[in-house]
Amino acid sequence: VQDHETKSRFFLGGWVSGVRSKKDKLYPEKVSRLGALGFDWDPDATRWKKNLEKLRKFKKSNIWSR
């Protein structure tokens, strides 16, 4: 995703990466506007939580639950 380029040749992925790295320096309004879009500030943490939930469901429905 980091190297995603739009049709107008804008490197959106690079911009997103830069925004994430500067979160603490952004104006609160910008952080709020990105939040309203559902912006994921920490995709690694999001992925980890989703995978943990998959493991929980697997455990509940398989032999681990016995």
Side-chain angles (χ1 to χ4, degrees):
V1 174
Q2 196 169 11
D3 59 351
H4 178 76
E5 184 179 354
T6 66
K7 289 180 182 179
S8 63
R9 304 193 55 87
F10 176 69
F11 287 94
L12 184 60
W15 181 82
V16 167
S17 180
V19 167
R20 284 189 180 117
S21 70
K22 298 173 186 170
K23 179 184 180 187
D24 296 335
K25 297 177 183 177
L26 292 176
Y27 289 111
E29 178 192 349
K30 290 182 178 183
V31 173
S32 178
R33 291 174 69 185
L34 289 164
L37 292 175
F39 191 82
D40 188 349
W41 291 101
D42 191 346
D44 291 331
T46 301
R47 192 170 20 263
W48 193 91
K49 289 176 188 176
K50 286 179 181 179
N51 289 334
L52 182 63
E53 181 60 19
K54 289 175 186 177
L55 177 60
R56 186 192 67 76
K57 287 178 181 179
F58 174 81
K59 182 179 182 283
K60 190 173 183 177
S61 66
N62 288 282
I63 195 165
W64 284 8
S65 63
R66 295 183 185 134

